[in-house]
Amino acid sequence: MYDYPSTAAFLTPDEREFVIERLKHDSTDLATHYDRKFVFQALKDWKCWMMVFVYMGILIPVYAFSLFIPTIINELGYKASTAQLLSTPPYIAGCFFTVLVGIYSDKLKLRGPFVLGCATVAIAGYSVLYATPQGHPGVSYAGTVIAACGTFPSIAVVLAWAGGNAGGDVKRGVALAMTIGIANLGGVCSSFIYRTKDAPRFHIGHGTVIGCLLLAVVLTCAAMVTYSRLNKQKEEQCRREGIDHSQAPKFREMADASPLFRYTI
């Protein structure tokens, strides 16, 4: 595994130059070397922490899937290999929409609206699970598929959002480590909110998951407003001070605080 395109032996010289130039354009020529200050830039940036909690709000519902799906399939009356097969459709649906949402998110260069849309779909699915009375496992199973179509696509989009809005290689790496490492503690939460004694309705679990998704929605809205406001401030600063990309080296170590850096909404 090569660290950088410049050291990748499998690329031709022309391909290497193309990739390097493209990465420079994407990163606004920000720093790629290691320095301790870049680590602290990420740790002290409240926007990075906001992404941590957006991701946690999405990840708790994802971890919850494996905890209640077996109960629903058992209610349907299937066992052994048939039960195993019935556990796959929600994941297949989630996989399909993950790819679809990822493609359009990149094409439109938007993250927040897709996170909002997916989280809303997930809330709808978990609401079905919460509201379905005992004795209607088919409806609960449908709710599980709907929830999967919302939760799984959100994971990739939030990670791309968190990484893309942290400027500089080191800050981006630390921001992603924070997002993934800390938010994965949500798996501990999931294991405690889905209690055996609450089966098969799991009202406490589903209710908590809906609350987590609502938290992700609120924080996503706050992030979109914040990034939009910061972009406008930077555009105004560039106009006022006559800053253009020819001056990029001057802001190389400022990470995403550089006036030339633009946040993805």
Side-chain angles (χ1 to χ4, degrees):
M1 179 69 73
Y2 296 94
D3 293 330
Y4 298 101
S6 58
T7 61
F10 61 87
L11 293 175
T12 66
D14 289 342
E15 290 172 338
R16 196 176 297 123
E17 183 179 352
F18 172 77
V19 173
I20 291 171
E21 287 303 315
R22 187 167 183 175
L23 288 173
K24 282 183 179 180
H25 175 75
D26 286 346
S27 63
T28 325
D29 202 22
L30 294 174
T32 57
H33 66 281
Y34 175 80
D35 192 297
R36 198 185 314 174
K37 69 180 178 182
F38 300 138
V39 176
F40 288 105
Q41 282 177 351
L43 293 174
K44 294 178 180 180
D45 191 343
W46 66 272
K47 298 187 297 300
C48 292
W49 288 102
M50 182 164 57
M51 286 292 102
V52 168
F53 289 103
V54 170
Y55 191 54
M56 184 178 288
I58 298 295
L59 210 56
I60 290 174
V62 170
Y63 278 120
F65 261 78
S66 60
L67 301 174
F68 64 80
I69 281 183
T71 302
I72 294 174
I73 294 174
N74 185 58
E75 277 194 289
L76 288 167
Y78 296 102
K79 299 185 184 302
S81 59
T82 305
Q84 289 293 328
L85 287 172
L86 280 172
S87 68
T88 58
Y91 294 99
I92 293 172
C95 177
F96 173 78
F97 280 99
T98 297
V99 174
L100 187 67
V101 168
I103 290 171
Y104 280 98
S105 176
D106 278 349
K107 275 190 174 183
L108 298 175
K109 301 186 186 305
L110 291 171
R111 305 298 185 205
F114 284 95
V115 176
L116 282 179
C118 290
T120 302
V121 171
I123 289 171
Y126 275 101
S127 296
V128 170
L129 287 163
Y130 186 92
T132 303
Q134 190 167 350
H136 296 77
V139 178
S140 295
Y141 189 76
T144 302
V145 175
I146 295 170
C149 293
T151 52
F152 289 109
S154 304
I155 298 174
V157 179
V158 173
L159 285 178
W161 202 16
N165 281 349
D169 285 5
V170 176
K171 182 176 180 180
R172 181 178 298 114
V174 175
L176 285 172
M178 290 165 57
T179 304
I180 296 170
I182 298 172
N184 268 283
L185 294 173
V188 178
C189 172
S190 296
S191 64
F192 282 100
I193 60 177
Y194 281 90
R195 305 176 302 179
T196 305
K197 67 180 182 179
D198 296 328
R201 297 280 61 83
F202 295 114
H203 280 146
I204 291 176
H206 295 329
T208 304
V209 161
I210 291 171
C212 292
L213 288 166
L214 288 172
L215 172 66
V217 166
V218 171
L219 291 177
T220 297
C221 290
M224 290 170 63
V225 171
T226 299
Y227 291 140
S228 178
R229 176 176 54 82
L230 291 174
N231 282 345
K232 289 178 182 177
Q233 289 177 356
K234 291 183 178 189
E235 287 166 6
E236 176 58 30
Q237 181 185 355
C238 288
R239 280 195 298 268
R240 186 175 62 251
E241 300 177 15
I243 298 171
D244 57 31
H245 285 277
S246 65
Q247 302 174 47
K250 184 165 65 173
F251 309 107
R252 184 172 173 78
E253 298 190 358
M254 290 181 65
D256 49 88
S258 165
L260 294 171
F261 186 92
R262 296 294 180 269
Y263 295 102
T264 303
I265 306 301

